[in-house]
Amino acid sequence: MSGYGNPNVSAQAQRNGTSSPAKVTLHLGHLPEKGEIKAPYPRSPGRIDPNNPPWPAYRGYHEYSFAHATMHSRLPTILGKAIEDATRTLNEESLEERVVDLAQCIDRMEELMADLSGNAKLRPIVDDGEADVITWNKEITKFFRGKDFMSAPWLFAEAYKYRRLRECFSVSKFWNTYDVFYRQKNDTFSRSSEAVFELAMRFAEPGLISKTTHPNQKELDAQRLIFLELTQVCLWGNSTDLSLLINMTEDQIRSLQSTGGEHLAATEQNILGNDMERIWETVKSIRETKADHRRIDFVLDNAGFELYCDFIYADFLIQSGLATEIRFHGKRYPWFVSDVTKKDWDWLINNMCYGHLFPEASPAEMQALRLLAQRWKQYERDGKWIYEQHPFWCTGYTYWDLHSEAPDLFFHLSHSDLVLFKGDLNHRKLTYDCAAPASTPFEEAIGPMASASGAPKIVSLRTVKSDVVVGLGPDGNEIAKRLDEQEPGWKISGKYAVVLLSEGRPGEPVTFE
Ligand code: F6P
Ligand code: MG
């Protein structure tokens, strides 16, 4: 429609033939001052979208927040180290075509660094043939047009950075599968020898765990204790992820990874929301009621030592008959520094089987590692352990949108008897990464992942490494307030944890509008 004759269009605009609206300035000097009106939270479901989570979003421009520290300092540091890694590889390469190709990848990383440090606007992802391009660009276009690294919600901006990093390599000819974090990921495992052998020497021999699906009371009590301790091993395995380890000494890592019983009893006090007993009752009742097929899913987090702890736990679940099948969900490409890819999965098992990573280990210790790896390989061959990598896990969407954006994945997970989400990022995505009060029940905080028809039972095993904290019970707000006062930084130290269970609505029909 032409703007001519339209009273809302300025005379200048009419003369130019353009149609920008006229500016009218009102003077409101006699009206009352603007009041401080708080938006109602949680937002009603119809008003929630990736730029407007149910409770206020964390954004990089919130100075003095962890979101700001991450966007402003941690991510550029991580990217700088990634550039160093690629440069090291470049210097080792000899063939011209490959050298030139990798140099171009590094140029693209430098561009990303300039965008990140210069707080550029978030541009669409280029079509690099990845399965998630459409999902990414849909989300950017619908919710983040004109937003930059600091003004978009932290979770999205941070995930976007890792997707842009992927793009630096995915468009190349020879370096498409290159992982700039691979060297670092391997290192965490070799630097964890004490805890690695502590567990290997205890669990290498099979048959130590009663296999019967109807154990007597004594066997059941023993299994319960192992289950509770291994749940903690699996949980605390998450506290040593690489994105935060940059400045940690060997001693600090060793103390975080300690697996002794006394240590676990002490660390249980740091589990602020603790559903471990309920989880034990849940897996026990699955075994009692489902005769043939009992499936547990792990939505994995980090490679190396954490993955090793996950394997130990999953091995126990199979040996005890609590599960007959375990599906592991990993990432399709390098993600948040330490997350598991298929290559990391293969590396760990094959190195345990054939590698020489631990020159100081005794022959018995090396044999224990080999026995474990051989058994785990057999689980893979038997289809008891299955690795999967749905593209949705590497998008910027939170899991509130899993049902709508990845219906096939939701449907798939709805067939699981229990889905375990590992780590901090998965927890942020479950809870929409927003400032929900700490007393918010877990089931409310995870929205459709608990309330949608057919939602599976869900557990979050998470050491607290970022702001969102929920599920601390009715006194949660006071607990959080006290910790804020007494231990500033408690939300990013990895010292505290939550182990939370959502009952979901398993068995009900999965529907999509
Ligand atoms: O960069 C911050 C962050 O996303 C935090 O959530 C956490 O500190 C880390 O990176 C990833 O942790 P995790 O590997 O446990 O998901
Ligand atoms: Mg991770």
Side-chain angles (χ1 to χ4, degrees):
M1 187 183 96
S2 155
Y4 286 98
N6 182 341
N8 292 327
V9 173
S10 71
Q12 179 67 45
Q14 293 195 16
R15 271 196 300 281
N16 294 345
T18 60
S19 58
S20 59
K23 272 205 177 147
V24 178
T25 311
L26 289 180
H27 296 282
L28 305 177
H30 298 293
L31 299 188
E33 292 278 295
K34 278 188 190 167
E36 216 189 274
I37 297 169
K38 290 209 170 95
Y41 290 107
R43 273 178 232 277
S44 54
R47 294 180 56 240
I48 295 171
D49 66 48
N51 191 36
N52 296 292
W55 284 270
Y58 305 113
R59 297 183 199 263
Y61 64 59
H62 296 144
E63 276 188 46
Y64 311 112
S65 69
F66 188 49
H68 183 76
T70 298
M71 295 309 300
H72 183 260
S73 319
R74 288 179 60 236
L75 290 194
T77 306
I78 288 169
L79 186 56
K81 285 186 75 148
I83 293 173
E84 276 172 29
D85 173 273
T87 309
R88 179 173 155 193
T89 305
L90 180 83
N91 293 341
E92 287 161 3
E93 196 53 53
S94 56
L95 293 177
E96 185 178 9
E97 267 189 315
R98 290 174 59 85
V99 172
V100 171
D101 196 25
L102 184 53
Q104 286 166 353
C105 296
I106 295 172
D107 289 346
R108 285 188 285 271
M109 290 168 90
E110 299 284 6
E111 276 167 36
L112 174 57
M113 181 67 105
D115 280 359
L116 188 60
S117 323
N119 192 24
K121 289 204 168 35
L122 308 182
R123 64 151 173 81
I125 299 298
V126 304
D127 184 359
D128 57 4
E130 283 289 354
D132 58 8
V133 175
I134 292 179
T135 316
W136 271 102
N137 288 343
K138 187 174 80 171
E139 193 177 9
I140 293 169
T141 312
K142 277 176 81 173
F143 305 108
F144 301 113
R145 247 174 311 142
K147 289 265 182 292
D148 50 47
F149 280 90
M150 288 294 181
S151 60
W154 170 37
L155 175 70
F156 183 82
E158 192 175 11
Y160 173 83
K161 179 229 133 175
Y162 286 97
R163 182 60 182 87
R164 284 278 305 271
L165 180 57
R166 168 67 193 140
E167 194 194 277
C168 298
F169 291 88
S170 56
V171 296
S172 85
K173 184 171 173 196
F174 298 102
W175 300 93
N176 188 291
T177 58
Y178 188 73
D179 182 349
V180 285
F181 305 122
Y182 190 60
R183 288 190 178 102
Q184 296 180 61
K185 283 189 269 195
N186 296 354
D187 273 0
T188 55
F189 187 64
S190 37
R191 287 167 74 196
S192 309
S193 58
E194 204 166 302
V196 165
F197 290 116
E198 175 83 26
L199 290 168
M201 295 300 282
R202 289 168 194 267
F203 289 99
E205 290 294 344
L208 298 177
I209 299 151
S210 149
K211 259 201 178 123
T212 161
T213 35
H214 299 288
N216 61 34
Q217 195 53 47
K218 201 170 150 220
E219 289 166 331
L220 211 51
D221 290 345
Q223 276 190 1
R224 176 180 154 275
L225 292 177
I226 299 182
F227 177 84
L228 296 177
E229 290 205 353
L230 284 186
T231 304
Q232 277 212 68
V233 166
C234 185
L235 166 73
W236 295 109
N238 173 252
S239 60
T240 47
D241 91 90
L242 285 171
S243 67
L244 296 171
L245 273 184
I246 294 172
N247 298 319
M248 249 187 219
T249 65
E250 300 283 319
D251 275 350
Q252 285 169 320
I253 295 174
R254 205 169 302 132
S255 129
L256 271 174
Q257 292 177 339
S258 171
T259 52
E262 257 174 47
H263 178 82
L264 288 183
T267 51
E268 189 169 352
Q269 289 164 10
N270 292 347
I271 304 177
L272 301 174
N274 185 350
D275 290 338
M276 281 201 300
E277 289 287 353
R278 272 176 66 212
I279 299 168
W280 164 245
E281 290 304 322
T282 303
V283 289
K284 199 164 58 102
S285 106
I286 293 168
R287 183 173 60 184
E288 280 158 12
T289 51
K290 295 194 73 189
D292 304 327
H293 182 238
R294 297 176 290 282
R295 167 177 156 193
I296 293 185
D297 287 47
F298 278 67
V299 182
L300 294 171
D301 187 5
N302 300 323
F305 181 69
E306 179 169 352
L307 182 60
Y308 175 78
C309 294
D310 296 340
F311 282 166
I312 296 275
Y313 192 44
D315 190 358
F316 165 74
L317 293 174
I318 293 281
Q319 287 198 55
S320 59
L322 291 165
T324 56
E325 173 187 304
I326 308 232
R327 289 182 179 261
F328 296 88
H329 302 267
K331 307 297 190 300
R332 295 172 78 85
Y333 47 78
W335 189 247
F336 281 70
V337 184
S338 3
D339 286 20
V340 178
T341 62
K342 182 64 168 58
K343 189 172 167 190
D344 300 323
W345 166 290
D346 290 336
W347 178 87
L348 179 61
I349 301 190
N350 286 326
N351 251 282
M352 287 172 62
C353 219
Y354 311 109
H356 296 277
L357 266 186
F358 302 101
E360 280 162 27
S362 70
E365 286 174 328
M366 289 310 286
Q367 177 62 3
L369 267 196
R370 269 191 294 275
L371 286 174
L372 281 176
Q374 282 158 4
R375 188 158 74 239
W376 298 346
K377 277 172 174 288
Q378 192 58 42
Y379 289 153
E380 285 193 83
R381 284 192 287 270
D382 295 344
K384 291 180 180 168
W385 283 12
I386 300 160
Y387 182 86
E388 299 183 3
Q389 43 181 8
H390 194 286
F392 183 77
W393 302 121
C394 291
T395 67
Y397 279 110
T398 72
Y399 302 153
W400 278 56
D401 286 316
L402 195 149
H403 181 272
S404 55
E405 295 301 325
D408 56 322
L409 181 59
F410 185 87
F411 187 64
H412 181 51
L413 294 177
S414 76
H415 291 98
S416 178
D417 293 303
L418 186 69
V419 183
L420 300 169
F421 284 84
K422 290 291 319 283
D424 196 77
L425 177 63
N426 277 323
H427 191 85
R428 290 172 67 195
K429 287 191 152 195
L430 280 167
T431 55
Y432 228 126
D433 199 40
C434 53
S439 58
T440 310
F442 182 54
E443 303 210 334
E444 185 185 345
I446 67 175
M449 286 303 279
S451 62
S453 181
K457 290 179 187 297
I458 282 177
V459 166
S460 178
L461 290 174
R462 177 248 189 159
T463 59
V464 181
K465 291 187 272 185
S466 65
D467 300 276
V468 60
V469 176
V470 298
L472 302 201
D475 300 332
N477 295 348
E478 287 74 53
I479 297 171
K481 192 163 168 245
R482 201 187 58 236
L483 283 165
D484 280 340
E485 284 159 12
Q486 293 175 355
E487 278 187 57
W490 70 276
K491 286 181 172 175
I492 55 169
S493 62
K495 171 178 166 191
Y496 292 96
V498 286
V499 179
L500 299 170
L501 169 70
S502 155
E503 298 291 346
R505 293 172 57 188
E508 293 184 35
V510 174
T511 53
F512 302 106
E513 277 138 36

